[in-house]
Amino acid sequence: LDAGTQFLFDGGVNFNIYGTLKAIGTESDSIIFDNYGDERWRGFTLENASDQTTFEYVRISGAEKDNGGGMYLYSSNPTLTHVTISNNTATHGGGMYLEYSNPTLTHVTISNNTAEGFGGGMYLYASSNPNLTHVTISDNTAGVFGGGMSLYSSNPTLTNVTISNNGPISEDGNSRGGGMYLNNESSPTMTDVIISNNIANDEGGGIYCQNGSSP
């Protein structure tokens, strides 16, 4: 896909990738994927996609589906560089949902996404171990656990990452792990990570660890 291309989806459209996609924009001319009209599009789904799949200088917003509003990865390891994923909605993983996937994210911003359940910014499930470097996860909300990130049996590597201003959708009900929620022996490796100004109604404003999990 050429730099400067805009994809504006009118209605509940899926963008599914089963092979290789190279969406490569430039610093001054990003590739944009967004909503057009009242009905939101359904974001990206990468299923067994090639490891050569690349998103560079790309903006993904305005999408909504059950898992991974902006991007759902199943057994896929794309490379994301200078990507913004914002204003997407899902049941779990408002920005991204990873399942058996190990993508590489560098200079990525995941912000203002919403999940009704787990992982407002990101939900890492079932042995998903991405590498995040110079990533910002901010201003995301979740209804239950993990306003910024929710991890289940996953061990990501975070380097120079900021997780801030994430929290619950409302002040009612229980929520845990405003910044990060770790479950089922999730054990992230974190270097130069800032976790600040996150909110949980119940426990773990910054991080909540459950069932043998530890940062």
Side-chain angles (χ1 to χ4, degrees), residues 88 92-96 110-123 137-151 163-170 174-182 195-201 203-208:
N88 302 288
H92 303 300
M96 298 182 72
I110 301 172
S111 64
N112 294 298
N113 301 285
T114 301
E116 295 177 9
F118 297 174
M122 299 181 72
Y123 185 32
I137 301 171
S138 65
D139 301 296
N140 302 286
T141 55
V144 185
F145 300 146
M149 299 179 69
S150 184
L151 280 60
I163 302 171
S164 64
N165 300 308
N166 304 286
I169 292 175
S170 69
N174 296 326
S175 68
R176 295 175 179 173
M180 298 179 69
Y181 175 78
L182 313 181
I195 300 174
S196 65
N197 296 313
N198 302 284
I199 298 173
N201 292 329
E203 297 173 298
I207 301 176
Y208 185 86

Side-chain angles (χ1 to χ4, degrees), residues 4-213:
T5 306
Q6 295 188 34
F7 293 85
L8 305 179
F9 300 96
D10 189 5
V13 178
N14 295 283
F15 200 127
N16 298 334
I17 300 167
Y18 305 103
T20 301
L21 174 69
K22 291 187 179 291
I24 301 177
T26 65
E27 184 175 3
S28 60
D29 220 359
S30 297
I31 298 174
I32 296 172
F33 300 89
D34 205 345
N35 191 56
Y36 179 86
D38 295 331
E39 186 179 358
R40 287 179 162 237
W41 70 297
R42 294 178 56 80
F44 282 96
T45 296
L46 279 66
E47 185 173 342
N48 297 306
S50 163
D51 289 357
Q52 282 70 51
T53 295
T54 301
F55 294 81
E56 186 171 344
Y57 288 106
V58 170
R59 297 182 354 222
I60 301 168
S61 58
E64 180 176 2
K65 62 177 177 290
D66 289 340
N67 292 325
M71 185 176 289
Y72 170 77
L73 308 181
Y74 181 85
S75 191
S76 298
N77 311 312
T79 298
L80 281 66
T81 307
H82 295 288
V83 171
T84 298
I85 300 173
S86 63
N87 298 302
N88 302 288
T89 302
T91 302
H92 303 300
M96 298 182 72
Y97 186 111
L98 279 57
E99 188 170 356
Y100 303 109
S101 296
N102 309 307
T104 298
L105 281 64
T106 306
H107 294 289
V108 170
T109 298
I110 301 172
S111 64
N112 294 298
N113 301 285
T114 301
E116 295 177 9
F118 297 174
M122 299 181 72
Y123 185 32
L124 278 54
Y125 178 75
S127 299
S128 290
N129 309 314
N131 282 293
L132 281 64
T133 305
H134 295 291
V135 170
T136 298
I137 301 171
S138 65
D139 301 296
N140 302 286
T141 55
V144 185
F145 300 146
M149 299 179 69
S150 184
L151 280 60
Y152 184 91
S153 298
S154 295
N155 307 309
T157 299
L158 283 66
T159 306
N160 294 116
V161 171
T162 298
I163 302 171
S164 64
N165 300 308
N166 304 286
I169 292 175
S170 69
E171 296 181 0
D172 300 326
N174 296 326
S175 68
R176 295 175 179 173
M180 298 179 69
Y181 175 78
L182 313 181
N183 193 10
N184 203 41
E185 299 185 350
S186 293
S187 184
T189 298
M190 300 192 290
T191 305
D192 293 324
V193 172
I194 297 172
I195 300 174
S196 65
N197 296 313
N198 302 284
I199 298 173
N201 292 329
D202 193 2
E203 297 173 298
I207 301 176
Y208 185 86
C209 302
Q210 185 171 355
N211 295 337
S213 298

